[in-house]
Amino acid sequence: LAPQSRDLLTASVKRIACDGGVPLVARGDVVAGAYLVEKGALRVYYVSAEGREGTLYWVEPGQSCVLALNCMFSGLAYPAWVESEGQTEVALVPGDVYRRLFTIEPAVQSFTFDTLSGRLFELMALIEETASQGLEARIAAFLLRRAKDGNSIAITQEQIARHLATSREVVSRVLRVLAARQLIETS
C-alpha cells in the first residue's frame, strides 16, 4: 500500500482477540467492515429449519470473510452466523475505510477479487458435494479438508455433526464403517 493508505489502515483497524466458540456475527446483522483473520479461524455456518448447524466455510489466517465483504459493499444484512474457532485474532477494517482503500489501491482490489472468486469456487464444490455425495463420502472429504497436510485431526463426533448438519449418532456409525474399512483410525 501507498504510505498514506498504510497510515489510514493502521489508524482505523480494530483488533479482536477471543477464545473459540465466541459469536462474532449473527444472521441479519449489519456488517461493520472487513474481517481479516490473523490467527485461529472463523467458522461461517447456517442453521437448518430443523435447528441443525452446517458449516459453509472457514476463514483462516490471511483470509477474509467473503459474505462480510459482499454485505459491506452491498449494504445487505449478513445471511449466516460466524463464530471463532480456537484462539482467534481478527483485524476489523471499518467498511468506509475498506471501500476507500478498494477504490485507490490495486492490492486491495486484487485481494478482494481473489477472496470472492476463491470462496465462490469452494461454495460451489460444497453444494455439489452435498447434493451428489452420500454422508460417508461427505464425512471423509470433511476429515481430509480439516486435516490438511497432517494425518490427524482433533475433533469430536458432535463437532463433525454440527459442521455437516447431521446427528452425532449418524457420524458415529459412519466413522465406525470407515475405521472397519481401515480408512481411518479413531481415538
Side-chain angles (χ1 to χ4, degrees), residues 16-24 39-43 45 82-89 159 162:
I16 301 168
C18 56
D19 295 330
V22 173
L24 297 174
K39 178 183 174 186
L42 299 178
R43 174 179 173 246
Y45 64 98
V82 179
E83 70 180 12
S84 58
E85 278 211 344
Q87 293 293 322
T88 302
E89 294 177 12
Q159 289 170 318
R162 279 183 52 216

Side-chain angles (χ1 to χ4, degrees), residues 3-166:
Q4 185 178 8
S5 294
R6 198 173 23 242
D7 291 344
L8 172 64
L9 182 62
T10 302
S12 63
V13 73
K14 176 185 173 191
R15 301 224 181 274
I16 301 168
C18 56
D19 295 330
V22 173
L24 297 174
V25 182
R27 183 181 176 119
D29 283 355
V30 174
V31 176
Y35 292 79
L36 307 172
V37 175
E38 296 179 316
K39 178 183 174 186
L42 299 178
R43 174 179 173 246
V44 180
Y45 64 98
Y46 65 93
V47 178
S48 72
E50 296 81 31
R52 294 184 191 225
E53 295 179 6
T55 300
L56 293 169
Y57 58 88
W58 286 268
V59 184
E60 297 182 321
Q63 297 178 340
S64 184
C65 177
V66 66
L67 290 176
L69 288 173
N70 183 57
C71 291
M72 180 190 65
F73 279 110
S74 67
L76 296 172
Y78 197 80
W81 287 266
V82 179
E83 70 180 12
S84 58
E85 278 211 344
Q87 293 293 322
T88 302
E89 294 177 12
V90 176
L92 177 59
V93 181
D96 60 332
V97 172
Y98 194 92
R99 286 187 295 273
R100 182 171 165 197
L101 292 173
F102 181 83
T103 63
I104 61 174
E105 290 289 345
V108 175
Q109 294 167 7
S110 178
F111 174 78
T112 304
F113 286 116
D114 288 349
T115 298
L116 292 170
S117 62
R119 195 62 73 194
L120 179 61
F121 179 80
E122 287 178 34
L123 288 172
M124 291 304 298
L126 176 64
I127 291 168
E128 180 184 349
E129 180 181 295
T130 302
S132 66
Q133 294 181 354
L135 194 55
E136 182 177 309
R138 289 178 53 217
I139 289 174
F142 170 82
L143 294 173
L144 286 171
R145 275 193 308 274
R146 293 310 293 166
K148 297 183 185 163
D149 295 331
N151 59 3
S152 67
I153 177 173
I155 192 168
T156 67
Q157 294 175 1
E158 182 64 34
Q159 289 170 318
I160 295 170
R162 279 183 52 216
H163 291 301
L164 299 177
T166 189

